[in-house]
Amino acid sequence: MTTTSNTADAIAQAPGLVCQGFVPPLKLRDFKLIAFDMDSTLINIECVDEIADAAGRKAEVASITEAAMRGEITDYKESLRRRVALLKGVTVAHMQQVYDERLQLNPGAAELVAACQAAGLKTLLVSGGFTFFTDRIRDRLKIDSTRSNVLEEQDGVLTGRMVDQAWGDICDGDEKRKMLLQTCADLGIDPSQAIAMGDGANDLPMMGVAGLSVAYHAKPAVREKAMVAINAGGLDRLLEVVRLEP
């Protein structure tokens, strides 16, 4: 039996790691871009839920978030507008408190991002969340580019609305897909050379056009459609499937 066969068998038997539609391992250097969702993928929380906690509305907002991530609410933009409206009156200081006290990188996030960067991949963060957090995670992990939503605020207080941007109004699943494809075009690469990693239904559009789709502790519908499902352990378990060798 060859070494590759031995490795593939070992991966196939690894607890909490599921591969479908291809024979592992792949080579990381064969890819040129990796795109990450943020909330519950790169980080441990859903930021909108934690911001809502400051307004005493976490349960109401979290129930909408959960239904949207499961794909039960098909209009993601409307679901986000409903949640953001409930944030009216929360202060920017409260958001900073969420970042400082509640937000953590998920296990293996920094290690995976660093390994991809060392292998020459560009990194992209696409989120249905908010620039307040994506900008900080971008700087913390030295991510190349981001796309997310802007919360409107006046005098340090959220208005319950979002700000339209040059590319559109809300970063939903379709916008994540467009951003991945546009980044590939800008880099002069084929989408088959991209990896897309997420956990919720709004990540499926970008995962569907990437060469390798990865579900991280994801909703059942996302796990079923992903080529790799990491159901136990950290994000860096992807490196068991996509190897660092030249």
Side-chain angles (χ1 to χ4, degrees):
M1 184 176 290
T2 66
T3 302
T4 298
S5 296
N6 284 331
T7 303
D9 289 344
I11 293 170
Q13 297 168 19
L17 187 65
V18 179
C19 300
Q20 53 187 358
F22 71 103
V23 178
L26 304 174
K27 293 181 181 179
L28 187 57
R29 293 185 187 278
D30 288 340
F31 296 92
K32 303 300 180 185
L33 172 70
I34 184 165
F36 296 97
D37 169 53
M38 184 178 70
D39 292 28
S40 298
T41 301
L42 272 184
I43 66 173
N44 65 321
I45 61 172
E46 292 287 334
C47 291
V48 67
D49 297 354
E50 300 306 318
I51 300 169
D53 196 24
R57 297 169 181 159
K58 182 175 181 178
E60 187 176 354
V61 170
S63 67
I64 301 172
T65 299
E66 182 68 14
M69 292 303 98
R70 289 196 302 262
E72 294 169 4
I73 299 176
T74 55
D75 188 340
Y76 179 84
K77 289 187 178 184
E78 182 56 30
S79 81
L80 187 59
R81 290 189 185 100
R82 285 168 55 193
R83 286 175 282 167
V84 169
L86 294 170
L87 304 183
K88 183 177 181 179
V90 174
T91 66
V92 173
H94 281 128
M95 291 199 293
Q96 186 64 49
Q97 190 174 8
V98 168
Y99 181 79
D100 292 337
E101 299 179 5
R102 303 191 185 191
L103 185 152
Q104 298 177 11
L105 294 176
N106 269 328
E111 291 81 0
L112 177 59
V113 171
C116 289
Q117 291 166 337
L121 279 73
K122 293 296 185 182
T123 48
L124 170 66
L125 177 55
V126 280
S127 174
F130 312 114
T131 54
F132 184 90
F133 299 99
T134 57
D135 287 354
R136 287 161 172 76
I137 297 300
R138 175 198 63 203
D139 296 344
R140 189 167 168 179
L141 295 176
K142 299 180 172 58
I143 288 174
D144 293 300
S145 54
T146 66
R147 177 147 295 178
S148 58
N149 304 302
V150 179
L151 290 170
E152 184 181 71
E153 54 100 355
Q154 293 178 355
D155 300 322
V157 179
L158 299 185
T159 66
R161 297 184 295 269
M162 287 172 285
V163 179
D164 288 353
Q165 300 178 72
W167 47 263
D169 55 354
I170 291 175
C171 185
D172 60 353
D174 188 51
E175 186 59 36
K176 289 186 178 190
R177 174 183 174 275
K178 289 178 182 177
M179 185 59 177
L180 184 145
L181 292 175
Q182 182 59 56
T183 303
C184 288
D186 292 344
L187 293 172
I189 65 172
D190 191 88
S192 64
Q193 295 173 287
I195 302 170
M197 198 166 194
D199 74 296
N202 68 331
D203 297 313
L204 286 172
M206 73 168 178
M207 292 169 66
V209 297
L212 183 65
S213 55
V214 184
Y216 179 71
H217 292 246
K219 306 306 180 196
V222 182
R223 292 199 304 267
E224 291 168 7
K225 295 181 180 179
M227 296 169 69
V228 179
I230 300 171
N231 301 322
L235 282 90
D236 56 344
R237 292 205 69 188
L238 180 61
L239 299 176
E240 297 175 35
V241 178
V242 187
R243 296 300 179 86
L244 298 172
E245 64 230 24

